[in-house]
Amino acid sequence: MSILRILVTTLVMYFCAYAPQPARASEPQQPVITPLMLKDLPDLAGKEMLMMTVVYPPGAVEHIHRHDAHAFVYVLEGSIIEGVRGGKEVTLTPGQTFYEGPDDVHTVGRNASTTKPAKFVVVMVKKKGVDAVLPAE
């Protein structure tokens, strides 16, 4: 996979889902996404794998979104709270996992701490060429 494609995917994810807003002390910070690998999956027609790290700064809260992908989360540091529409919120700590399916709407995603960052790895199996993060109502 080309570095250019990974960089373009990163920029699209950032500007579509996490567009910068004026910083205010009372507003939570947004997640920081770092792509690690983008790989075609020739055995799965039309699919690719995207691996990335996500850091939730202290107090970070994500916008409601969806992935149109199978997303596998593995927590490395800190504690995060995750949830999908119709499911229960779960609090995850290092070594724990979370799954989002292609039809899920990610309604809850935040750092459980207001003083410490949290970091996790996400591996997505998604449609080739489709943005990893998509808007949702």
Side-chain angles (χ1 to χ4, degrees), residues 14 19-30:
Y14 179 79
Q21 299 176 358
R24 295 184 188 133
S26 62
E27 289 185 10
Q29 295 182 32
Q30 292 298 304

Side-chain angles (χ1 to χ4, degrees), residues 51-107:
M51 180 187 298
M52 64 190 123
T53 59
V54 179
V55 175
Y56 282 170
V61 177
E62 285 195 83
H63 300 289
I64 293 175
H65 63 275
R66 55 191 280 300
H67 297 292
D68 196 16
H70 295 277
F72 304 89
V73 174
Y74 180 82
V75 180
L76 299 170
E77 302 171 11
S79 181
I80 62 174
I81 300 169
E82 299 292 324
V84 295
R85 185 171 289 152
K88 294 180 182 179
E89 285 185 19
V90 294
T91 301
L92 305 168
T93 57
Q96 292 185 308
T97 60
F98 185 76
Y99 169 77
E100 290 179 55
D103 297 322
D104 287 330
V105 174
H106 191 163
T107 55

